[in-house]
Amino acid sequence: MNTGSHEPGEVAMAANDAKSDRASDQQEQALGSRAPAFIQSRRILHLSWQVGIFVVGLAVVVAGIIMLPLPGPGWVVIFGGMAIWATEFVWAQLVLRWTKRKVTEAAQRALDPKVRRRNIILTAIGLVIIAAITVFYVWKFGLVMPWKIEDQ
């Protein structure tokens, strides 16, 4: 388990940083371990801290995966586990940043007036189709529901 940092207090940076990205990097937190300084200063303590963070994050992610087919907020719990891992591991921080960026982009696209208009039109068409099917069913079979079949 590597945080990308070899020295206490040293902060790992992403490999593809460019000079043009410095403004955005200053807004975001630096990559690397967020463990307290006294933990980072002792190698054995820091390693056990990382193992503990990994185990807790893994338990939360597994619980989220179990919740995907079952009732529960599966994706929210999975991202919570990723956030726990991101407190210690650079790879999780990068995945979480990428996910946040993609969610923000999707939200901005959903708020686009053209997309909203299209979604409203498709919803209206769907409701008209459902209403037509309902009217046809009532006209053809009446108000007798199919699960109230009388004994013959």
Side-chain angles (χ1 to χ4, degrees), residues 18-105:
K19 291 181 180 180
S20 62
D21 293 336
R22 286 185 185 173
S24 64
D25 288 343
Q26 291 174 355
Q27 294 173 353
E28 296 178 4
Q29 289 183 332
L31 297 174
S33 176
R34 291 182 177 80
F38 74 93
I39 290 178
Q40 288 183 1
S41 65
R42 293 167 182 83
R43 182 139 176 86
I44 300 287
L45 190 57
H46 193 227
L47 184 61
S48 34
W49 177 271
Q50 288 178 328
V51 169
I53 293 291
F54 183 79
V55 169
V56 170
L58 182 65
V60 173
V61 168
V62 167
I65 291 171
I66 290 171
M67 284 185 211
L68 286 176
L70 300 175
W75 286 110
V76 173
V77 174
I78 289 172
F79 290 130
M82 288 298 296
I84 291 171
W85 279 338
T87 62
E88 194 60 33
F89 303 107
V90 172
W91 62 267
Q93 293 168 2
L94 295 174
V95 168
L96 211 53
R97 283 184 185 178
W98 179 84
T99 304
K100 286 179 185 178
R101 189 173 60 248
K102 291 298 179 183
V103 167
T104 302
E105 290 172 5

Side-chain angles (χ1 to χ4, degrees), residues 119-132:
N119 289 345
I120 290 171
I121 291 170
L122 289 175
T123 302
I125 290 171
L127 290 174
V128 167
I129 291 171
I130 290 171

